[in-house]
Amino acid sequence: MISILPADLVGYFAACLTTTAFVPQAWLTWRRKRAEGVSLGMYIILVLGITLWLVYGLMLSALPIIIATMITLMLAMFILVMKLVYK
């Protein structure tokens, strides 16, 4: 039987919430084909920060961090690319 620590449960729940928070912006940007409300500088810094979180999670072998940052990185990169495409 696999045992999940309470700290990991908090991590998974936090990961779900913070990752899911990017979905409405990604959906809206894709659907409207506009990204004028998205800050390019903010998303560049955000993507770099998420990448470092992924490296950190990999260094610790912390599955909640790895899973969350991989998904969040994909969503943030999507929004960043849409910002560049829909200038």
Side-chain angles (χ1 to χ4, degrees):
M1 183 171 168
I2 296 175
S3 171
I4 297 178
L5 300 172
D8 284 339
L9 287 176
V10 171
Y12 283 114
F13 189 62
C16 286
L17 291 176
T18 56
T19 299
T20 304
F22 282 87
V23 173
Q25 182 68 59
W27 175 255
L28 189 64
T29 303
W30 179 76
R31 195 183 81 197
R32 290 186 176 175
K33 306 292 188 251
R34 293 189 343 244
E36 70 274 353
V38 174
S39 168
L40 180 61
M42 181 265 195
Y43 265 86
I44 290 171
I45 293 167
L46 181 65
V47 165
L48 292 172
I50 295 168
T51 302
L52 291 175
W53 274 111
L54 178 57
V55 170
Y56 177 69
L58 290 168
M59 292 171 76
L60 294 178
S61 298
L63 201 54
I65 296 172
I66 294 167
I67 292 169
T69 54
M70 286 176 64
I71 296 168
T72 303
L73 185 58
M74 287 187 295
L75 289 166
M77 289 285 292
F78 175 79
I79 295 167
L80 179 59
V81 168
M82 291 299 101
K83 175 65 176 177
L84 296 170
V85 168
Y86 299 131
K87 273 190 159 184

